[in-house]
Amino acid sequence: MSSGALQVGSGWRGGNPSFVQQGQVDWVAFGNTIWSASAAILQRFAAAGIQPVTFGAGLVLASQFHLDRLGQWRMEKAVESLRAVPVLENLLYIGFGYQSVVRTMGETVAGLKSLALCACLTEVHSEEFSAWVLSELWQVSGFPDEFQPSYTQFLALVKVSAGVVSATEFGTVLDTMLGDQIWRQPSDSASGYESGEASGFEDGVLTASTAKDLANALRGLFMVSRDEAETIVITGGSECAFLAGLAHWLFNMRIQVHNSQGQSIFKNDEEKPAQVIFQYGELRTKAIQIAHTTYVLGHCRDMFSPMQESEQSNLIVRTSWNGSLSRVYGTTFQRLSEVSHLLGDYLGGVARIYKAVSCGEPNAGRICRKNFYYYVETSYGYGFIETVLATFPELQRTDGLLDRMQHIIDFSFDDALRITEQSVSALKNICNCSHCKFVRRPEHVPDDEIGFAEITRGCIVGLTYAIRKIASIMARTVQDPDGPPLLPSVQGILELSRIDDFPQEAGLYDGAELDKPLKDEGSKSDSKTTEFYFQALGLVKEA
């Protein structure tokens, strides 16, 4: 521990502070603790908005669990891999500096444990929700209110910890723990989904439990880590994925995960019995005390707090690029693969149109360049095609897709635009989601009442848009070749599937429309169609 690090008491050497003895906190000693550090360290904590007593509170929470060598090693590697990137000729650094608060926390085992708890929480939950969990964890642990940091102080603590484990495999471990639970049960609806309120997968979004229930479940994991409990069972919705990932990746516990049908989807030790059993199921099931402790995770809608934004209660789960489309969209991607010629026409047309705009071809003059960013070679023409296949390796295995995209590259700008129009129209005509089939929807049902899952996971047009949007983002993204890859989240991919505006007049996609060229002037239908197709390309029509 460096001499400039924040010192907690007089005899601290990096383990549990002097006010923690055998897992018990001496609150008199805590209240009399002297906090000391160099002016530079105190300045950095002040800049982050963290009071020394808040840092001490984090150490108190971290003292409630044991972190074995594997968990410590994983966190140490995560901290070591953090970097600061120089910009503006080294005048400004972006990222984690060599004297950041995170590195100061990581200099001691106790600080590393506190960092691990906060970083893992914020990797999956919003910073606001994570702060509430820490507050509830303080309460359910029975710690005195007089020493509890305020919500804003806990929020400052989790903010500095956010992103520490983003480049690790922790996020993909959660994806493994979800198993088949990422899909809701099939129904008779056109999209193939039914309500997931009871399972924590409401409307296609992975929703968190209540902060109090999560805090109680965390206490259960802490007891297992300290060998104070032999076996516990945790029942709930998608929050089980986070707790299972935490138990496996950070605490190195023996776990077993069952889906809602009782089938085992993960077990990390086939010889010894599991220390923690996770059961996806109905959230309204009452806890039953048998020979072990059962924790039931309630739904976040039952939590009374000043949070208003629904996004604050959603979970963030990362997945691998290879197989991400199959993983997130399932049968929708299979249906799109069956019409790979239409996907190839669309992506090839986009590549050709972007090339025309970026190179300033005369026929592309009607496209506004104000918000056009695709000037790098990887974002147009053959470079865009290579980016698409590099970003989504599973598309490399789609029969005929590469040849179709490369074939369209040789078309003229007008022909590529016409082919793109036709491919989008054809995809919409074969899509079964309510958004595409708006002519079948009652007039009194507005767009915002259509399920999010149905217009994202169940829409092949939205999936096609997502492929184009993500490939365009990756084409302009520079990643460190020596660093770990930044993996996408399930929620991020789904969000890019949103379709801002479909033309609402029935008949715009009749077969007769498919052979009509794009028009700058004409009837209302032609104008609406023009705007729609420019949106499909991510472009803006010149005023």
Side-chain angles (χ1 to χ4, degrees), residues 55-76:
F55 175 70
L59 299 180
V60 169
L61 291 176
S63 70
Q64 301 304 295
F65 61 86
H66 171 71
L67 198 60
D68 69 0
R69 292 182 179 180
L70 181 59
Q72 291 183 33
W73 178 82
R74 284 172 171 163
M75 283 305 304
E76 288 172 357

Side-chain angles (χ1 to χ4, degrees), residues 121 125 129 132-137 139-140 207-221 232-237 239-240 242-243 278 282-287 293-304:
L121 275 171
H125 307 85
F129 184 82
W132 282 117
V133 173
L134 294 182
S135 296
E136 291 290 350
L137 189 57
Q139 289 291 320
V140 299
T207 53
S209 175
T210 68
K212 185 174 183 178
D213 283 347
L214 181 54
N216 276 315
L218 285 172
R219 278 202 69 215
L221 293 183
I232 64 172
V233 177
I234 298 177
T235 301
E239 193 73 75
C240 284
F242 165 70
L243 292 167
F278 297 91
E282 296 290 333
L283 295 182
R284 297 180 179 87
T285 302
K286 295 182 179 179
T293 303
T294 300
Y295 295 90
V296 178
L297 300 175
H299 197 281
C300 62
R301 69 174 54 196
D302 301 325
M303 179 175 54
F304 179 79

Side-chain angles (χ1 to χ4, degrees), residues 40-95:
I41 295 297
L42 290 176
Q43 185 180 28
R44 291 184 180 276
F45 272 84
I50 301 175
Q51 297 292 334
V53 69
T54 304
F55 175 70
L59 299 180
V60 169
L61 291 176
S63 70
Q64 301 304 295
F65 61 86
H66 171 71
L67 198 60
D68 69 0
R69 292 182 179 180
L70 181 59
Q72 291 183 33
W73 178 82
R74 284 172 171 163
M75 283 305 304
E76 288 172 357
K77 296 295 291 184
V79 174
E80 289 175 4
S81 65
L82 300 176
R83 300 184 182 183
V85 180
V87 295
L88 300 176
E89 298 183 352
N90 297 335
L91 295 177
L92 179 66
Y93 284 79
I94 300 175

Side-chain angles (χ1 to χ4, degrees), residues 55 119 146 260 309 391 440 482:
F55 175 70
E146 60 182 302
S260 55
E309 298 295 331
T391 303
R440 299 180 183 177
D482 299 326

Side-chain angles (χ1 to χ4, degrees), residues 306-366:
M307 293 190 300
Q308 299 297 326
E309 298 295 331
S310 60
E311 288 78 5
Q312 293 177 340
S313 59
N314 295 339
L315 301 185
I316 302 171
V317 177
R318 297 191 184 277
T319 188
S320 173
W321 282 112
N322 191 8
S324 58
L325 298 178
S326 300
R327 174 65 172 155
V328 175
Y329 294 96
T331 56
T332 304
F333 176 67
Q334 295 177 11
R335 286 163 44 213
L336 181 61
S337 299
E338 293 172 358
V339 288
S340 60
H341 62 287
L342 296 178
L343 178 61
D345 286 349
Y346 173 78
L347 294 175
V350 168
R352 177 65 183 91
I353 293 167
Y354 283 4
K355 178 182 178 181
V357 178
S358 62
C359 296
E361 295 184 13
N363 288 345
R366 55 183 146 163

